[in-house]
Amino acid sequence: MSAVTEKEPVVKKANRLQVTKLNNKMVNQYWEDLFHAKEQGKLVCWTEGIQINPILQAADIAWCHGEAAAALMAARKESAVPQAHMETLGYDRELCSYARTHIGCGILNQSSTVEAQTLLDVDGRTLGSKIPPPDMIISAYPFCSTGQQWDNEVYRTYGKKVPIFNMSLSWTWGNKPSAKYMSGPEYRENVAFLKKQLQDCIRFIEGITGKPYDWDRLTEIMTYTKKAAELRLEAMQLCKARPSPASFFEWTNSIAPVNFLPGGPEIVDYFAQKKAEIEARIAQGVGSVPVEKYRLWWDGIMNWNKIGWLSDKFAGYDACMVAGRYTHMGFWQEPQVIDVRDPLDGMAQNYLTCPISISAPQVIEKIIEHCEFYEIDGLILHAARTCRAFSYPQFMIADAVGKRLGLPVAMFEGDMVDETFYKDEIVNSRVEAMLEAIDASRARMR
Amino acid sequence: MTAYAMGIDFGSTTAKVVILDESGEMAASAISQKGAVSDEGVRMALADALQQAGIEQSAIRKVVSTGYGRRMLDIADRSITEITCHARGAVALVPQARVVLDIGGQDSKVIAIDANGLVARYAMNDRCAAGTGKFLEVLARAVNIELERMGSVALEATETVGITSMCATFAETEVISLLAEGHSRPVVLAAVHQAIANRTVGLVGRVGKRDPMVMTGGVSHNIAAVHYLEKALATSLIVPPGAQTAGALGAALFALDDLRAEAAEPGKRIADEDDGVLAEPLECKPACEKKGLFAKLFRS
């Protein structure tokens, strides 16, 4: 007899939504269109931060959203080269990895040396090598000083010759009676201030294009955007079901249509299909993970190079990551306030209530609402090492949400793009300890 | 034939094994230090434990593993994290414990225990191995002193200096600078221990300071670490005998639960009194020959 046992590992994988393939198709089409924008006579804007793409789309301007570009490069394992190049130029690896990736592409693209082109254009197929240079830059970052410096570096990279427009997004304090979530005089002042800047931005665009702005086109685009956002929220809320038919990772995969893809019937159709697939899963009792023993909340930006891997990892733990701050509290998260005939006010309100534009007390209250609605058992906090704007309130979130709802919390460090910050065994220990704490808590209840 | 339950804490710097008999009495407790998740280390700890208990490995009926290498052990029926195991072990050693402070080789953990002796909350060093046993190990090397002696030497300090870096590499640079400035080894070592204590206070704050506090893990043997932690926390720490093997003890207690649960199931026996063969024999399948550490271990 031997005391050795052979345990065949049970491989459980996340049950991915079919509609995600359509998302990938739309994303690929968007980038192909951008790569060829100049051939079609379009101006190209590089922009970071909030989703100002409807404003650009109405002026027939193509856009490159810096974070989206860096995230996609991370997902395609193409971000290491521009990041390494930036380090040789003195950009510390603790700086925003989105910015290091995006600026790195710009610098390598600007360089005519064979070495630079070879570095960036591995096999002539990398995304970074195909992004057209900017004709204008619009910086619109909420609560992130790196965002402004990032755009300033892009401006310098292109010889300080590209027109740049800087937007300032006011911080909303949660502890002032005058600035409650979406209400109060200070909040309204902030909205008016940003709306004025959006109007100025449109004048800036008119100055570059030499054409009057097409407000009817903006109304049309925002009609699609608003409808897509409403369908998205409806589909998200269906995930209250047990087992949850879709996970945070599926919503992460659906950021593009509400972040940087053009507003049109395609994004409405996408979320209608997604909602229908979710409804079908609920009817059939199909969950996002094979066995749903734990329902979790993800706090933090996504680790873009590990979406599929992480979704399978948590499926292996019988855990469904039902919702998260990044996906459920941002990206046209308040569509009901958008008046499509006069959309700037509603757009400003959505920009100002994203989870890095409101203070920790408001973030915490919103997270508690979500955790109660989705019946969450525990919180996973992914502290993105190079995004302090997102990770700064995480100890407060862990403390306040954990104590108020009596939920266990696991925190680990990683990054949105720079995978060198991620250590698998650290994640395993923390996640498993949290799941054991949930089991212990359930044992107490019995 | 008596059945035994075993807990193995396959840690980042040491391997610890605890064997309990079916009544819950400790039959053996062994520690081996042979480097990070060392094959040799766990072999030695296990062989030592079996010898202490005076039993053959076939008498071990349930095994629970914990520690960084917990998933490497094919022999384990299941693995449980160090947090849960240290909490269980610490409560077994000190039933009134409300906070467990475990400073291990690669991580520090502070665990709040509820009235039922279960994990209520916990905090770990989230960003790096700062404030852990590894930090002490690196700095002992920089000061050129044996790890075992650094605590007693630190307590000889007659003045206070500060180390601000918690990164072991940068702290090593600071230590070298302090020595170069002429500070004595006790003074520099005291600063090293104070740095660990200050780091740990932050973790305690996150779960809530409550007494009694129990310290487990290898660093609990370091008298200077305990001294400066007590000073920083303004409380007394209980360091029970067997503090370093608390994680393995916790794992062994979970294994004992499994042993008893199996015995309680109708139609199952813990052990056959005549021949020592399990009711459900655990056979080694051929595939495990190439992958498991213990597949090799138990054949050798």
Side-chain angles (χ1 to χ4, degrees), chain B residues 8-16 35-38 66-70 82:
Chain B
I8 305 174
D9 183 353
F10 199 5
S12 59
T13 52
T14 54
K16 282 84 69 177
V37 284
S38 155
T66 188
Y68 268 88
R70 64 187 179 277
E82 305 93 291

Side-chain angles (χ1 to χ4, degrees), chain A residues 1-7 383 388 395 409-411 413 425-426 428-430 432-434 436 440 444, chain B residues 57-58 68 70-71 74-76 80-81 83-84 114 116 118-119 122 124-127 206 282 288 294:
Chain A
M1 191 209 73
S2 167
V4 179
T5 59
E6 168 64 5
K7 291 176 287 189
R388 305 297 187 199
F395 279 138
V409 175
M411 179 182 271
E413 191 167 66
E425 183 48 40
I426 301 272
N428 291 338
S429 294
R430 282 148 181 75
E432 288 170 26
M434 189 186 82
E436 287 166 8
R444 270 195 296 271
Chain B
Q57 57 92 8
S58 57
Y68 268 88
R70 64 187 179 277
R71 277 183 294 269
D74 283 2
I75 190 179
I80 299 176
T81 63
I83 291 171
T84 304
D114 72 9
N116 300 312
L118 297 170
V119 175
Y122 62 89
M124 294 176 83
N125 55 317
D126 292 306
R127 307 283 162 118
R206 279 164 55 191
L282 302 169
C288 71
F294 274 83

Side-chain angles (χ1 to χ4, degrees), chain A residues 193-246:
Chain A
F193 178 53
L194 183 54
K195 184 179 173 182
K196 166 82 170 48
Q197 293 181 78
L198 294 173
Q199 289 162 338
D200 291 345
C201 181
I202 287 169
R203 276 192 284 278
F204 166 80
I205 289 169
E206 284 176 325
I208 293 171
T209 61
K211 295 178 192 167
Y213 194 71
D214 190 342
W215 289 96
D216 291 338
R217 180 84 177 112
L218 182 63
T219 291
E220 187 189 349
I221 292 162
M222 285 311 298
T223 303
Y224 290 124
T225 301
K226 180 176 178 176
K227 184 63 187 168
E230 287 169 344
L231 283 167
R232 174 175 175 262
L233 291 187
E234 287 164 19
M236 276 179 163
Q237 286 166 4
L238 289 172
C239 295
K240 183 179 172 65
R242 284 178 184 265
S244 179

Side-chain angles (χ1 to χ4, degrees), chain A residues 88-219:
Chain A
T88 65
L89 298 177
Y91 289 76
D92 191 273
R93 66 193 283 268
E94 300 282 343
L95 293 169
C96 172
S97 56
Y98 280 152
R100 283 186 287 130
T101 304
H102 190 228
I103 302 168
C105 287
I107 290 173
L108 287 168
N109 267 328
Q110 279 294 90
S111 172
S112 56
T113 65
V114 174
E115 188 194 9
Q117 292 302 309
T118 308
L119 272 175
L120 188 61
D121 200 6
V122 182
D123 302 328
R125 286 185 282 112
T126 62
L127 185 142
S129 67
K130 295 177 184 172
I131 298 172
D135 299 300
M136 69 187 83
I137 301 162
I138 297 178
S139 179
Y141 238 112
F143 189 64
C144 174
S145 59
T146 305
Q148 281 101 56
Q149 292 168 49
W150 170 357
D151 291 306
N152 193 45
E153 287 307 300
V154 171
Y155 176 68
R156 289 174 45 163
T157 297
Y158 287 94
K160 302 182 181 177
K161 292 172 186 162
V162 179
I164 182 166
F165 185 88
N166 280 302
M167 240 180 263
S168 172
L169 283 87
S170 306
W171 173 259
T172 302
W173 293 92
N175 54 353
K176 287 186 179 178
S178 59
K180 290 294 183 192
Y181 185 78
M182 301 193 83
S183 67
E186 192 177 321
Y187 173 73
R188 286 307 317 169
E189 279 173 26
N190 291 344
V191 172
F193 178 53
L194 183 54
K195 184 179 173 182
K196 166 82 170 48
Q197 293 181 78
L198 294 173
Q199 289 162 338
D200 291 345
C201 181
I202 287 169
R203 276 192 284 278
F204 166 80
I205 289 169
E206 284 176 325
I208 293 171
T209 61
K211 295 178 192 167
Y213 194 71
D214 190 342
W215 289 96
D216 291 338
R217 180 84 177 112
L218 182 63
T219 291

Side-chain angles (χ1 to χ4, degrees), chain A residues 41-101:
Chain A
K42 285 191 175 185
L43 293 170
V44 173
C45 176
W46 280 26
T47 180
E48 270 74 64
I50 55 175
Q51 311 89 288
I52 59 154
N53 48 299
I55 291 174
L56 296 163
Q57 188 184 348
D60 203 25
I61 294 169
W63 60 92
C64 173
H65 190 254
E67 299 96 311
L72 191 60
M73 279 187 262
R76 292 180 179 181
K77 312 284 182 197
E78 295 174 1
S79 56
V81 167
Q83 284 174 21
H85 186 67
M86 288 297 280
E87 199 158 354
T88 65
L89 298 177
Y91 289 76
D92 191 273
R93 66 193 283 268
E94 300 282 343
L95 293 169
C96 172
S97 56
Y98 280 152
R100 283 186 287 130
T101 304

Side-chain angles (χ1 to χ4, degrees), chain A residues 293-425:
Chain A
K293 194 174 166 194
Y294 311 99
R295 292 166 70 88
L296 306 179
W297 170 268
W298 178 280
D299 192 273
I301 299 190
M302 192 50 217
N303 219 314
W304 290 104
N305 38 39
K306 294 189 183 298
I307 299 176
W309 189 83
L310 278 168
S311 63
D312 287 340
K313 183 182 192 71
F314 281 94
Y317 284 129
D318 296 337
C320 181
M321 199 71 65
V322 181
R325 174 156 61 114
Y326 185 63
T327 47
H328 287 59
M329 289 169 59
F331 307 102
W332 304 117
Q333 69 285 1
E334 302 287 359
Q336 74 284 357
V337 297
I338 299 170
D339 176 356
V340 295
R341 290 162 300 179
D342 181 15
L344 293 188
D345 189 281
M347 291 167 78
Q349 291 199 62
N350 274 268
Y351 299 151
L352 289 174
T353 50
C354 85
I356 57 169
S357 209
I358 55 176
S359 63
Q362 291 191 358
V363 166
I364 287 164
E365 289 308 315
K366 294 303 277 184
I367 291 175
I368 286 172
E369 272 178 35
H370 282 291
C371 287
E372 287 182 326
F373 180 80
Y374 290 108
E375 298 173 332
I376 296 295
D377 298 314
L379 279 74
I380 299 287
L381 286 90
H382 167 235
R385 176 74 167 249
T386 71
C387 186
R388 305 297 187 199
F390 219 97
S391 57
Y392 91 90
Q394 285 184 318
F395 279 138
M396 285 184 276
I397 291 169
D399 191 53
V401 180
K403 281 182 185 163
R404 284 259 296 274
L405 300 181
L407 299 179
V409 175
M411 179 182 271
F412 63 84
E413 191 167 66
D415 194 60
M416 53 280 191
V417 175
D418 191 338
E419 60 184 334
T420 61
F421 288 116
Y422 184 93
K423 302 286 178 288
D424 194 30
E425 183 48 40

